[in-house]
Amino acid sequence: MLEAGEITQWRKYPNRFFVTGVEKARIVWHEDKEEFNYNHLQGVKGEQYAKFRDTYNHIHALHRPEREQTPTTNGMQNPGLDRAE
């Protein structure tokens, strides 16, 4: 996704990623929890929200098989963003 230009990595904070074409919202990799989350989503609407949602859910789905192979510490999963438009 980085190579394709769908997301860009923030140089100042390399665990944060921006979705191309979406203002302010970002995807965050929490290394200690080994999971993705998102920040600054409030105020993102319309097409930008749909693009961010689809990209985040895609990343979350790619990461899910890796998490299923490792034991969970607290049994909680990131619910992701809603899939309905």
Side-chain angles (χ1 to χ4, degrees), residues 20-31:
T20 304
V22 178
E23 298 176 14
K24 299 185 182 182
R26 56 199 68 147
I27 298 170
V28 181
W29 168 248
H30 295 284
E31 190 169 346

Side-chain angles (χ1 to χ4, degrees), residues 6-83:
E6 294 177 51
I7 59 173
T8 57
Q9 189 172 16
W10 193 358
R11 290 181 184 168
K12 186 173 180 180
Y13 300 102
N15 69 323
R16 299 168 197 264
F17 303 87
F18 295 98
V19 177
T20 304
V22 178
E23 298 176 14
K24 299 185 182 182
R26 56 199 68 147
I27 298 170
V28 181
W29 168 248
H30 295 284
E31 190 169 346
D32 56 336
K33 298 177 185 176
E34 294 187 1
E35 69 181 16
F36 287 97
N37 209 326
Y38 53 88
N39 284 347
H40 305 286
L41 190 59
Q42 67 277 13
V44 177
K45 294 184 170 99
E47 291 179 26
Q48 287 189 22
Y49 178 83
K51 185 172 186 176
F52 186 87
R53 179 199 61 216
D54 294 345
T55 303
Y56 176 82
N57 285 335
H58 180 74
I59 290 171
H60 193 258
L62 290 173
H63 185 65
R64 187 172 301 148
E66 294 175 19
R67 290 205 57 171
E68 289 173 356
Q69 293 175 2
T70 60
T72 58
T73 56
N74 62 3
M76 295 182 66
Q77 294 180 331
N78 186 340
L81 298 173
D82 62 273
R83 295 184 187 270

